[in-house]
Amino acid sequence: MLLLLCVLSACSSSDDEEARDMTYPEISDVGITANPTDCQVYHRGESIPFSYVFTDDNELGAYNIEIHHNFDHHTHSTSSVECPMEALKQPVHPWVFNQDYPIPSGQRTYKSRIDIPIPEDIDTGDYHFMIRVIDRAGWQQLRAMAVKIE
């Protein structure tokens, strides 16, 4: 009986909360002017002003921004919006951006605002802008948008 009591007392309430977290975090544009959105056009040498809100029922963990070319017209199927696309082409000097950003501990809501500089020497054309948010329990949400770099 004493051994069982020791085992049960070793379990913390935070472990129980994480075990019960079965809800995905959310990527939201509520209450802000979200950026980027589908079909927006940006220019080499300028910046993409990123602005979104992340929420979770328990606790957020981190988020990731990825930007890569879409010269082959692949899809990530997170948006129903269809943007006009340029002809298929082979990349010569495509832009690849992939950066993780921590979210301070204990946050259920986090407003992210950063400027992402666009290199001047990249291929112009169709790109995907992808946002991933993960909560402390490991659940992930993805939003992908089609943007154009001129």
Side-chain angles (χ1 to χ4, degrees):
M1 184 70 119
L2 182 60
L3 180 61
L4 180 60
L5 182 60
C6 289
V7 170
L8 290 176
S9 66
C11 296
S12 72
S13 62
S14 65
D15 290 339
D16 292 341
E17 285 178 23
E18 285 185 12
R20 287 192 307 260
D21 185 355
M22 301 299 289
T23 306
Y24 291 99
E26 293 183 15
I27 301 168
S28 175
D29 55 9
V30 173
I32 63 166
T33 302
N35 199 66
T37 58
D38 278 306
C39 307
Q40 284 187 303
V41 178
Y42 300 96
H43 298 91
R44 294 186 292 185
E46 295 179 353
S47 292
I48 298 175
F50 174 79
S51 181
Y52 273 89
V53 175
F54 306 122
T55 59
D56 188 63
D57 61 337
N58 286 333
E59 185 178 359
L60 292 162
Y63 67 101
N64 171 276
I65 296 174
E66 178 187 343
I67 304 167
H68 62 265
H69 77 83
N70 187 22
F71 303 160
D72 61 358
H73 296 182
H74 67 275
T75 182
H76 295 283
S77 301
T78 67
S79 176
S80 60
V81 176
E82 290 191 34
C83 304
M85 296 178 69
E86 295 180 3
L88 293 169
K89 68 179 184 179
Q90 291 296 316
V92 175
H93 193 223
W95 185 24
V96 177
F97 179 90
N98 193 336
Q99 182 70 46
D100 294 325
Y101 299 91
I103 295 174
S105 295
Q107 301 293 309
R108 289 183 176 182
T109 299
Y110 184 76
K111 292 181 182 179
S112 177
R113 173 68 180 91
I114 55 174
D115 289 320
I116 302 168
I118 303 169
E120 292 187 16
D121 61 346
I122 62 167
D123 293 342
T124 59
D126 300 306
Y127 282 82
H128 282 145
F129 191 106
M130 300 177 63
I131 309 164
R132 291 179 183 87
V133 63
I134 187 168
D135 68 13
R136 288 281 179 212
W139 294 105
Q140 176 180 279
Q141 188 65 264
L142 168 72
R143 181 179 283 190
M145 288 148 277
V147 298
K148 191 173 296 290
I149 307 291
E150 293 183 339

